[in-house]
Amino acid sequence: MTLRTLMQAGPAKATELFAKLSETSDGAVKTREKLFSDLKAELELHAGLEEQHLFPILRKNSETKELVADAIRDNKELRAKLSELDAMPKNDPAFAERLADLQKTFRQHARDEKKELLPAVQRALSEEQVQAVTEKMEAGLAEAEQAKQDEAEERRAKARGEREQAEFLARQAELRAQEVATAEREQAAAEQRARTDARRVVDAALRPVAAASKAVGEATRLATAAPAGEAGRRAQTQAAAMTNMFMWPWLGAMQNRQPTGNAAEARGLAGMEEVIPLGEEILEVGKRTENRGTARIRRFVVETPVERQVTLQSEKVVVERRRPVSDKVTGEILTELTVEVVETEEVPTVEKRVRLREEIVVRTERTQRVETVQATLRRDEVEIEQADRKRGNRQLRSVSSER
């Protein structure tokens, strides 16, 4: 690539970006911001390469020194207008007018380079100097392009990482929601079982009461309907015994609150029974799921500098003068002749490709364990104090309730 081609490539790309920007509307803010960012980067890169590699050599030549000063002023003017547009909102109605002004300044700068600066460079510099400047500017362009590609790859990697992180967090939230829902279902089932057991206990307690009420009614009916005389007294006695048998367990608590004499008289009645319930606690072990922590796997990009050695070849034209072996004319002479020989040089090219190095598999594994749960249970015991009928003394016995 020649210096002329190289210096005209930047303005051609900038002209294309100017045309795309001019076609956008005030509502296309994101598109304008992207195109203007590309335009600004292109213009700054073009000006920077000139000021870094070309202008220092041209300052040393008296013929091009003044042209360099004019070019630097043009670059400063371009940068000032770029900064002004960069700070302006992209939906500002005045944006298109300021952009047109910047494009006019840029076109004038490009015409000056093409008509004045480039011909002066060709006249003032040798071919070796022009070639050296061209190679340096090409290297600068390659570095800028590589930096742009690296930045784009970094943005893509960052976006992928954020997307994967969001997916991972969403999965974790879904798992936590499932665990909470499972715990709520288990709790609801336990509450339902407790209510069922409570209803069963109440029903069991009410059945004797209903039976006792029925027995009392039957006893009352017999006592009322019994005839006079000995048969009537027997019927009344049976009714009283039946009433005492069914009503005694529920009257015992009330009788305990009466004076001692009345309680003794009540217990002394024939056919009386008192039921003392003996209870115990039983152990019921359930399960619930708890969150024991979150494992987070984050992928990030690590940059490792590498270097490779490559052997390059170059061909340069060597011109030398020598005396002919004989003065005999062997070809056409005394005519105008132009011979063009192309010099070539190999330059390294760098390409990068992406390959799959390794895979990280993230999954959960479920294991089972047996854990012993210890607790203290309570139960009722009964101690019986009974008088010995033969010897007339009192004995104590301890009776355990059966499970």
Side-chain angles (χ1 to χ4, degrees), residues 175-210:
L175 290 176
R176 286 194 293 270
Q178 292 177 357
E179 292 174 357
V180 171
T182 302
E184 290 178 351
R185 286 195 299 271
E186 292 179 355
Q187 183 178 0
E191 292 177 354
Q192 181 64 28
R193 287 195 299 270
R195 287 192 295 268
T196 303
D197 293 342
R199 285 196 299 269
R200 190 181 298 115
V201 170
V202 171
D203 293 341
L206 291 178
R207 279 197 297 270
V209 175

mmCIF file of all heavy atoms in Angstrom, residues 175-210:
data_model
loop_
_atom_site.group_PDB
_atom_site.id
_atom_site.type_symbol
_atom_site.label_atom_id
_atom_site.label_comp_id
_atom_site.label_asym_id
_atom_site.label_seq_id
_atom_site.Cartn_x
_atom_site.Cartn_y
_atom_site.Cartn_z
ATOM 1 N N LEU A 175 -34.971 -22.421 42.086
ATOM 2 C CA LEU A 175 -34.771 -23.517 43.037
ATOM 3 C C LEU A 175 -35.216 -23.128 44.438
ATOM 4 O O LEU A 175 -35.859 -23.915 45.149
ATOM 5 C CB LEU A 175 -33.292 -23.928 43.050
ATOM 6 C CG LEU A 175 -32.780 -24.643 41.789
ATOM 7 C CD1 LEU A 175 -31.286 -24.900 41.900
ATOM 8 C CD2 LEU A 175 -33.521 -25.958 41.586
ATOM 9 N N ARG A 176 -34.871 -21.882 44.840
ATOM 10 C CA ARG A 176 -35.305 -21.431 46.167
ATOM 11 C C ARG A 176 -36.830 -21.360 46.253
ATOM 12 O O ARG A 176 -37.423 -21.713 47.282
ATOM 13 C CB ARG A 176 -34.682 -20.072 46.477
ATOM 14 C CG ARG A 176 -33.194 -20.133 46.827
ATOM 15 C CD ARG A 176 -32.742 -18.833 47.449
ATOM 16 N NE ARG A 176 -32.780 -17.742 46.490
ATOM 17 C CZ ARG A 176 -31.755 -17.410 45.714
ATOM 18 N NH1 ARG A 176 -30.627 -18.092 45.783
ATOM 19 N NH2 ARG A 176 -31.844 -16.405 44.877
ATOM 20 N N ALA A 177 -37.466 -20.898 45.180
ATOM 21 C CA ALA A 177 -38.925 -20.835 45.172
ATOM 22 C C ALA A 177 -39.520 -22.239 45.282
ATOM 23 O O ALA A 177 -40.513 -22.457 45.990
ATOM 24 C CB ALA A 177 -39.422 -20.148 43.906
ATOM 25 N N GLN A 178 -38.920 -23.205 44.592
ATOM 26 C CA GLN A 178 -39.408 -24.581 44.688
ATOM 27 C C GLN A 178 -39.231 -25.126 46.100
ATOM 28 O O GLN A 178 -40.108 -25.822 46.629
ATOM 29 C CB GLN A 178 -38.668 -25.465 43.684
ATOM 30 C CG GLN A 178 -38.999 -25.161 42.234
ATOM 31 C CD GLN A 178 -38.194 -26.008 41.267
ATOM 32 O OE1 GLN A 178 -37.346 -26.798 41.684
ATOM 33 N NE2 GLN A 178 -38.443 -25.835 39.979
ATOM 34 N N GLU A 179 -38.067 -24.800 46.732
ATOM 35 C CA GLU A 179 -37.847 -25.262 48.102
ATOM 36 C C GLU A 179 -38.867 -24.648 49.058
ATOM 37 O O GLU A 179 -39.408 -25.329 49.937
ATOM 38 C CB GLU A 179 -36.426 -24.898 48.542
ATOM 39 C CG GLU A 179 -35.339 -25.673 47.798
ATOM 40 C CD GLU A 179 -33.951 -25.191 48.159
ATOM 41 O OE1 GLU A 179 -33.855 -24.217 48.947
ATOM 42 O OE2 GLU A 179 -32.965 -25.788 47.688
ATOM 43 N N VAL A 180 -39.139 -23.351 48.886
ATOM 44 C CA VAL A 180 -40.130 -22.692 49.745
ATOM 45 C C VAL A 180 -41.515 -23.307 49.539
ATOM 46 O O VAL A 180 -42.260 -23.550 50.499
ATOM 47 C CB VAL A 180 -40.143 -21.174 49.467
ATOM 48 C CG1 VAL A 180 -41.310 -20.504 50.180
ATOM 49 C CG2 VAL A 180 -38.833 -20.535 49.926
ATOM 50 N N ALA A 181 -41.862 -23.557 48.274
ATOM 51 C CA ALA A 181 -43.174 -24.149 47.995
ATOM 52 C C ALA A 181 -43.275 -25.549 48.608
ATOM 53 O O ALA A 181 -44.310 -25.922 49.170
ATOM 54 C CB ALA A 181 -43.411 -24.210 46.486
ATOM 55 N N THR A 182 -42.180 -26.333 48.517
ATOM 56 C CA THR A 182 -42.193 -27.677 49.116
ATOM 57 C C THR A 182 -42.355 -27.599 50.628
ATOM 58 O O THR A 182 -43.121 -28.355 51.230
ATOM 59 C CB THR A 182 -40.899 -28.404 48.755
ATOM 60 O OG1 THR A 182 -40.767 -28.468 47.329
ATOM 61 C CG2 THR A 182 -40.897 -29.810 49.324
ATOM 62 N N ALA A 183 -41.610 -26.660 51.255
ATOM 63 C CA ALA A 183 -41.733 -26.496 52.706
ATOM 64 C C ALA A 183 -43.151 -26.072 53.106
ATOM 65 O O ALA A 183 -43.703 -26.558 54.101
ATOM 66 C CB ALA A 183 -40.710 -25.471 53.195
ATOM 67 N N GLU A 184 -43.746 -25.182 52.315
ATOM 68 C CA GLU A 184 -45.115 -24.752 52.626
ATOM 69 C C GLU A 184 -46.098 -25.905 52.485
ATOM 70 O O GLU A 184 -47.019 -26.056 53.296
ATOM 71 C CB GLU A 184 -45.507 -23.596 51.698
ATOM 72 C CG GLU A 184 -44.759 -22.297 51.999
ATOM 73 C CD GLU A 184 -45.143 -21.194 51.031
ATOM 74 O OE1 GLU A 184 -45.856 -21.504 50.050
ATOM 75 O OE2 GLU A 184 -44.725 -20.030 51.264
ATOM 76 N N ARG A 185 -45.919 -26.740 51.447
ATOM 77 C CA ARG A 185 -46.805 -27.891 51.286
ATOM 78 C C ARG A 185 -46.652 -28.867 52.447
ATOM 79 O O ARG A 185 -47.640 -29.399 52.962
ATOM 80 C CB ARG A 185 -46.515 -28.593 49.955
ATOM 81 C CG ARG A 185 -47.011 -27.847 48.734
ATOM 82 C CD ARG A 185 -47.019 -28.759 47.513
ATOM 83 N NE ARG A 185 -45.690 -29.251 47.179
ATOM 84 C CZ ARG A 185 -44.854 -28.614 46.371
ATOM 85 N NH1 ARG A 185 -45.213 -27.474 45.812
ATOM 86 N NH2 ARG A 185 -43.676 -29.131 46.096
ATOM 87 N N GLU A 186 -45.390 -29.112 52.864
ATOM 88 C CA GLU A 186 -45.182 -30.011 53.995
ATOM 89 C C GLU A 186 -45.791 -29.447 55.271
ATOM 90 O O GLU A 186 -46.390 -30.177 56.065
ATOM 91 C CB GLU A 186 -43.682 -30.257 54.179
ATOM 92 C CG GLU A 186 -43.051 -31.068 53.045
ATOM 93 C CD GLU A 186 -41.573 -31.265 53.243
ATOM 94 O OE1 GLU A 186 -41.031 -30.680 54.207
ATOM 95 O OE2 GLU A 186 -40.964 -32.011 52.452
ATOM 96 N N GLN A 187 -45.636 -28.138 55.476
ATOM 97 C CA GLN A 187 -46.221 -27.522 56.664
ATOM 98 C C GLN A 187 -47.745 -27.609 56.633
ATOM 99 O O GLN A 187 -48.392 -27.894 57.648
ATOM 100 C CB GLN A 187 -45.766 -26.067 56.768
ATOM 101 C CG GLN A 187 -46.265 -25.358 58.031
ATOM 102 C CD GLN A 187 -45.761 -23.938 58.117
ATOM 103 O OE1 GLN A 187 -45.049 -23.489 57.232
ATOM 104 N NE2 GLN A 187 -46.125 -23.249 59.164
ATOM 105 N N ALA A 188 -48.337 -27.360 55.466
ATOM 106 C CA ALA A 188 -49.797 -27.450 55.347
ATOM 107 C C ALA A 188 -50.273 -28.882 55.610
ATOM 108 O O ALA A 188 -51.299 -29.110 56.275
ATOM 109 C CB ALA A 188 -50.238 -26.986 53.962
ATOM 110 N N ALA A 189 -49.519 -29.872 55.093
ATOM 111 C CA ALA A 189 -49.899 -31.267 55.334
ATOM 112 C C ALA A 189 -49.806 -31.604 56.822
ATOM 113 O O ALA A 189 -50.662 -32.303 57.369
ATOM 114 C CB ALA A 189 -49.010 -32.196 54.513
ATOM 115 N N ALA A 190 -48.726 -31.087 57.496
ATOM 116 C CA ALA A 190 -48.596 -31.346 58.930
ATOM 117 C C ALA A 190 -49.746 -30.701 59.714
ATOM 118 O O ALA A 190 -50.302 -31.305 60.647
ATOM 119 C CB ALA A 190 -47.254 -30.819 59.420
ATOM 120 N N GLU A 191 -50.108 -29.482 59.338
ATOM 121 C CA GLU A 191 -51.239 -28.826 60.012
ATOM 122 C C GLU A 191 -52.540 -29.582 59.776
ATOM 123 O O GLU A 191 -53.373 -29.721 60.682
ATOM 124 C CB GLU A 191 -51.356 -27.383 59.523
ATOM 125 C CG GLU A 191 -50.190 -26.488 59.956
ATOM 126 C CD GLU A 191 -50.308 -25.092 59.382
ATOM 127 O OE1 GLU A 191 -51.227 -24.873 58.562
ATOM 128 O OE2 GLU A 191 -49.476 -24.239 59.739
ATOM 129 N N GLN A 192 -52.730 -30.103 58.562
ATOM 130 C CA GLN A 192 -53.936 -30.874 58.271
ATOM 131 C C GLN A 192 -53.979 -32.150 59.107
ATOM 132 O O GLN A 192 -55.031 -32.537 59.632
ATOM 133 C CB GLN A 192 -53.982 -31.213 56.772
ATOM 134 C CG GLN A 192 -55.217 -31.989 56.344
ATOM 135 C CD GLN A 192 -56.495 -31.178 56.527
ATOM 136 O OE1 GLN A 192 -56.472 -29.954 56.475
ATOM 137 N NE2 GLN A 192 -57.601 -31.862 56.756
ATOM 138 N N ARG A 193 -52.810 -32.826 59.235
ATOM 139 C CA ARG A 193 -52.759 -34.030 60.075
ATOM 140 C C ARG A 193 -53.080 -33.696 61.529
ATOM 141 O O ARG A 193 -53.777 -34.448 62.215
ATOM 142 C CB ARG A 193 -51.383 -34.679 59.969
ATOM 143 C CG ARG A 193 -51.127 -35.381 58.644
ATOM 144 C CD ARG A 193 -49.934 -36.298 58.743
ATOM 145 N NE ARG A 193 -48.722 -35.557 59.085
ATOM 146 C CZ ARG A 193 -47.893 -35.022 58.203
ATOM 147 N NH1 ARG A 193 -48.165 -35.137 56.904
ATOM 148 N NH2 ARG A 193 -46.814 -34.382 58.591
ATOM 149 N N ALA A 194 -52.543 -32.547 62.015
ATOM 150 C CA ALA A 194 -52.814 -32.156 63.397
ATOM 151 C C ALA A 194 -54.308 -31.887 63.610
ATOM 152 O O ALA A 194 -54.886 -32.288 64.632
ATOM 153 C CB ALA A 194 -51.986 -30.924 63.755
ATOM 154 N N ARG A 195 -54.935 -31.204 62.648
ATOM 155 C CA ARG A 195 -56.373 -30.949 62.777
ATOM 156 C C ARG A 195 -57.174 -32.243 62.750
ATOM 157 O O ARG A 195 -58.146 -32.417 63.497
ATOM 158 C CB ARG A 195 -56.830 -30.007 61.668
ATOM 159 C CG ARG A 195 -56.372 -28.565 61.847
ATOM 160 C CD ARG A 195 -57.103 -27.643 60.891
ATOM 161 N NE ARG A 195 -56.784 -27.930 59.512
ATOM 162 C CZ ARG A 195 -55.804 -27.340 58.837
ATOM 163 N NH1 ARG A 195 -55.041 -26.429 59.451
ATOM 164 N NH2 ARG A 195 -55.582 -27.632 57.577
ATOM 165 N N THR A 196 -56.773 -33.187 61.884
ATOM 166 C CA THR A 196 -57.473 -34.482 61.816
ATOM 167 C C THR A 196 -57.340 -35.243 63.134
ATOM 168 O O THR A 196 -58.322 -35.811 63.648
ATOM 169 C CB THR A 196 -56.906 -35.307 60.657
ATOM 170 O OG1 THR A 196 -57.038 -34.566 59.438
ATOM 171 C CG2 THR A 196 -57.643 -36.622 60.518
ATOM 172 N N ASP A 197 -56.106 -35.244 63.699
ATOM 173 C CA ASP A 197 -55.905 -35.930 64.985
ATOM 174 C C ASP A 197 -56.735 -35.272 66.082
ATOM 175 O O ASP A 197 -57.304 -35.951 66.945
ATOM 176 C CB ASP A 197 -54.420 -35.900 65.351
ATOM 177 C CG ASP A 197 -53.578 -36.727 64.396
ATOM 178 O OD1 ASP A 197 -54.166 -37.576 63.689
ATOM 179 O OD2 ASP A 197 -52.355 -36.518 64.333
ATOM 180 N N ALA A 198 -56.786 -33.914 66.083
ATOM 181 C CA ALA A 198 -57.572 -33.222 67.104
ATOM 182 C C ALA A 198 -59.053 -33.565 66.979
ATOM 183 O O ALA A 198 -59.740 -33.815 67.984
ATOM 184 C CB ALA A 198 -57.363 -31.709 66.978
ATOM 185 N N ARG A 199 -59.565 -33.604 65.737
ATOM 186 C CA ARG A 199 -60.968 -33.982 65.560
ATOM 187 C C ARG A 199 -61.222 -35.415 66.013
ATOM 188 O O ARG A 199 -62.260 -35.730 66.616
ATOM 189 C CB ARG A 199 -61.368 -33.819 64.093
ATOM 190 C CG ARG A 199 -61.582 -32.382 63.657
ATOM 191 C CD ARG A 199 -62.333 -32.317 62.347
ATOM 192 N NE ARG A 199 -61.611 -32.976 61.277
ATOM 193 C CZ ARG A 199 -60.760 -32.365 60.480
ATOM 194 N NH1 ARG A 199 -60.517 -31.070 60.653
ATOM 195 N NH2 ARG A 199 -60.143 -33.022 59.516
ATOM 196 N N ARG A 200 -60.274 -36.317 65.749
ATOM 197 C CA ARG A 200 -60.424 -37.707 66.173
ATOM 198 C C ARG A 200 -60.480 -37.814 67.697
ATOM 199 O O ARG A 200 -61.276 -38.567 68.266
ATOM 200 C CB ARG A 200 -59.271 -38.541 65.615
ATOM 201 C CG ARG A 200 -59.465 -40.047 65.809
ATOM 202 C CD ARG A 200 -58.293 -40.833 65.252
ATOM 203 N NE ARG A 200 -58.156 -40.623 63.809
ATOM 204 C CZ ARG A 200 -57.109 -40.017 63.262
ATOM 205 N NH1 ARG A 200 -56.144 -39.559 64.013
ATOM 206 N NH2 ARG A 200 -57.067 -39.877 61.966
ATOM 207 N N VAL A 201 -59.602 -37.044 68.380
ATOM 208 C CA VAL A 201 -59.596 -37.063 69.850
ATOM 209 C C VAL A 201 -60.912 -36.526 70.406
ATOM 210 O O VAL A 201 -61.509 -37.073 71.344
ATOM 211 C CB VAL A 201 -58.388 -36.264 70.381
ATOM 212 C CG1 VAL A 201 -58.497 -36.073 71.893
ATOM 213 C CG2 VAL A 201 -57.100 -36.978 70.027
ATOM 214 N N VAL A 202 -61.388 -35.426 69.832
ATOM 215 C CA VAL A 202 -62.655 -34.847 70.299
ATOM 216 C C VAL A 202 -63.814 -35.812 70.085
ATOM 217 O O VAL A 202 -64.671 -36.008 70.962
ATOM 218 C CB VAL A 202 -62.905 -33.502 69.590
ATOM 219 C CG1 VAL A 202 -64.302 -32.991 69.893
ATOM 220 C CG2 VAL A 202 -61.860 -32.480 70.028
ATOM 221 N N ASP A 203 -63.841 -36.461 68.907
ATOM 222 C CA ASP A 203 -64.916 -37.426 68.650
ATOM 223 C C ASP A 203 -64.867 -38.591 69.638
ATOM 224 O O ASP A 203 -65.898 -39.058 70.139
ATOM 225 C CB ASP A 203 -64.815 -37.953 67.220
ATOM 226 C CG ASP A 203 -65.100 -36.861 66.202
ATOM 227 O OD1 ASP A 203 -65.711 -35.839 66.602
ATOM 228 O OD2 ASP A 203 -64.704 -37.010 65.026
ATOM 229 N N ALA A 204 -63.633 -39.063 69.927
ATOM 230 C CA ALA A 204 -63.499 -40.169 70.873
ATOM 231 C C ALA A 204 -63.947 -39.758 72.268
ATOM 232 O O ALA A 204 -64.516 -40.557 73.020
ATOM 233 C CB ALA A 204 -62.053 -40.655 70.896
ATOM 234 N N ALA A 205 -63.694 -38.487 72.635
ATOM 235 C CA ALA A 205 -64.109 -38.022 73.963
ATOM 236 C C ALA A 205 -65.617 -37.813 74.045
ATOM 237 O O ALA A 205 -66.227 -37.963 75.112
ATOM 238 C CB ALA A 205 -63.379 -36.726 74.297
ATOM 239 N N LEU A 206 -66.234 -37.449 72.929
ATOM 240 C CA LEU A 206 -67.675 -37.182 72.953
ATOM 241 C C LEU A 206 -68.516 -38.444 72.884
ATOM 242 O O LEU A 206 -69.691 -38.438 73.262
ATOM 243 C CB LEU A 206 -68.051 -36.254 71.794
ATOM 244 C CG LEU A 206 -67.536 -34.806 71.907
ATOM 245 C CD1 LEU A 206 -67.931 -34.027 70.674
ATOM 246 C CD2 LEU A 206 -68.110 -34.141 73.170
ATOM 247 N N ARG A 207 -67.950 -39.526 72.357
ATOM 248 C CA ARG A 207 -68.748 -40.762 72.272
ATOM 249 C C ARG A 207 -69.187 -41.278 73.636
ATOM 250 O O ARG A 207 -70.355 -41.631 73.818
ATOM 251 C CB ARG A 207 -67.950 -41.823 71.504
ATOM 252 C CG ARG A 207 -68.011 -41.667 69.995
ATOM 253 C CD ARG A 207 -67.569 -42.933 69.279
ATOM 254 N NE ARG A 207 -66.178 -43.242 69.557
ATOM 255 C CZ ARG A 207 -65.170 -42.793 68.823
ATOM 256 N NH1 ARG A 207 -65.404 -42.015 67.792
ATOM 257 N NH2 ARG A 207 -63.947 -43.129 69.134
ATOM 258 N N PRO A 208 -68.297 -41.333 74.681
ATOM 259 C CA PRO A 208 -68.785 -41.768 76.010
ATOM 260 C C PRO A 208 -69.845 -40.832 76.581
ATOM 261 O O PRO A 208 -70.767 -41.262 77.262
ATOM 262 C CB PRO A 208 -67.515 -41.784 76.855
ATOM 263 C CG PRO A 208 -66.413 -41.945 75.876
ATOM 264 C CD PRO A 208 -66.849 -41.221 74.667
ATOM 265 N N VAL A 209 -69.704 -39.540 76.332
ATOM 266 C CA VAL A 209 -70.695 -38.584 76.833
ATOM 267 C C VAL A 209 -72.063 -38.868 76.227
ATOM 268 O O VAL A 209 -73.102 -38.872 76.912
ATOM 269 C CB VAL A 209 -70.239 -37.147 76.534
ATOM 270 C CG1 VAL A 209 -71.320 -36.158 76.944
ATOM 271 C CG2 VAL A 209 -68.936 -36.848 77.258
ATOM 272 N N ALA A 210 -72.091 -39.151 74.927
ATOM 273 C CA ALA A 210 -73.370 -39.459 74.275
ATOM 274 C C ALA A 210 -73.966 -40.746 74.832
ATOM 275 O O ALA A 210 -75.176 -40.866 75.080
ATOM 276 C CB ALA A 210 -73.171 -39.565 72.770
#
